[in-house]
Amino acid sequence: MRRSVLSLLAATTALTLAFAAPTRAAEDAVVIPAPAMDAAPANGIQTAVIAGGCFWGVQGVFQHTAGVVNAVSGYAGGTKATADYQTVSSGRTGHAESVEIKFDPKKISYGKILQIYFSVAHDPTQLNRQGPDSGTQYRSAIFTTSDEQKKVADAYIAQLNGAKVYSKPIVTKVGALEAFYPAEGYHQDYLTLHPSQPYIAYNDIPKVENLKKLFADNYIEKPTLVSASKATN
């Protein structure tokens, strides 16, 4: 569905007609408890990689999250040779549309990132799809960068399933990150650059609004953009 959106960006009228009557909006946020187990305090910038459907919305959520130094849309789960949007969109590469989050653990913990991920960034009970998008590239997945991250993620999923905070079991897969490949430049900062684009307005802006509502202490109004990070490096 998003591939047709991208192809229609140059034709405003056609895009408007295609999305004039969308069938559904982003999943409602779910109020969930904080993780009982969290990563130990640490120094230095840490990395988290998560996948939860279209990376536009997930990136947008974490760009509005305090303590996040950078959030980059990209691909994880497959090889470098297939890490491009057109190929990943086939659903046969092993890649998931993912977001690499660089964060300061003194300002936000890994567990808090997972709480936001499970609560407002996506619906972890949808298998190989998210809202209007379907395919393995839209799966729910956590790519861990350490044994500690894996323990925290596994324990949190067990905690949430045990508390039955969702009507269905969580299908999120947890596995070690082998590599992360940044997506093409036109995918970066997409939510901020195209807030009125129908897909974004209908599916992703509500996620940022839910972040502000449910995680007010972690919300920042000005997004931390990839373009700004590049400009300062």
Side-chain angles (χ1 to χ4, degrees):
M1 181 174 180
R2 274 193 315 124
R3 294 179 63 186
S4 64
V5 173
L6 287 172
S7 66
L8 291 172
L9 282 175
T12 305
T13 302
L15 178 63
T16 302
L17 291 174
F19 287 91
T23 57
R24 62 179 298 163
E27 295 295 329
D28 292 333
V30 179
V31 177
I32 61 176
M37 176 191 297
D38 205 339
N43 295 317
I45 303 303
Q46 304 288 306
T47 301
V49 177
I50 54 177
C54 169
F55 44 29
W56 294 341
V58 178
Q59 181 192 46
V61 166
F62 286 98
Q63 289 184 322
H64 282 277
T65 299
V68 171
V69 176
N70 201 13
V72 178
S73 290
Y75 313 106
T79 67
K80 182 178 180 179
T82 60
D84 66 87
Y85 182 71
Q86 195 71 21
T87 308
V88 171
S89 294
S90 71
R92 298 189 295 270
T93 66
H95 279 296
E97 290 197 9
S98 307
V99 175
E100 178 189 68
I101 301 166
K102 299 286 187 180
F103 65 99
D104 183 346
K106 292 184 177 180
K107 297 180 179 178
I108 186 170
S109 71
Y110 181 66
K112 178 60 70 173
I113 286 173
L114 294 186
Q115 186 182 14
I116 292 170
Y117 165 71
F118 283 120
S119 174
V120 304
H122 83 309
D123 178 354
T125 70
Q126 292 196 44
L127 181 64
N128 294 333
R129 69 172 301 115
Q130 208 54 214
D133 301 314
S134 62
T136 58
Q137 69 271 32
Y138 299 113
R139 67 187 182 273
S140 175
I142 298 171
F143 298 93
T144 58
T145 62
S146 67
D147 290 341
E148 182 180 43
Q149 284 192 358
K150 186 178 189 317
K151 291 178 182 178
V152 172
D154 284 338
Y156 196 28
I157 290 172
Q159 176 189 341
L160 295 176
N161 277 332
K164 298 186 184 302
V165 295
Y166 303 99
S167 60
K168 296 181 292 183
I170 292 172
V171 298
T172 308
K173 299 297 184 183
V174 179
L177 175 71
E178 295 186 5
F180 174 84
Y181 305 98
E184 296 81 350
Y186 63 88
H187 285 301
Q188 307 302 338
D189 305 335
Y190 199 89
L191 182 146
T192 297
L193 294 174
H194 307 283
S196 299
Q197 199 253 55
Y199 181 98
I200 293 293
Y202 197 67
N203 294 286
D204 295 333
I205 294 297
K207 296 179 181 181
V208 177
E209 293 172 346
N210 286 330
L211 173 70
K212 183 177 183 179
K213 178 181 178 181
L214 298 182
F215 296 92
D217 291 342
N218 303 103
Y219 174 81
I220 53 174
E221 188 70 30
K222 182 179 179 181
T224 303
L225 302 180
V226 174
S227 57
S229 176
K230 289 181 178 179
T232 56
N233 290 336

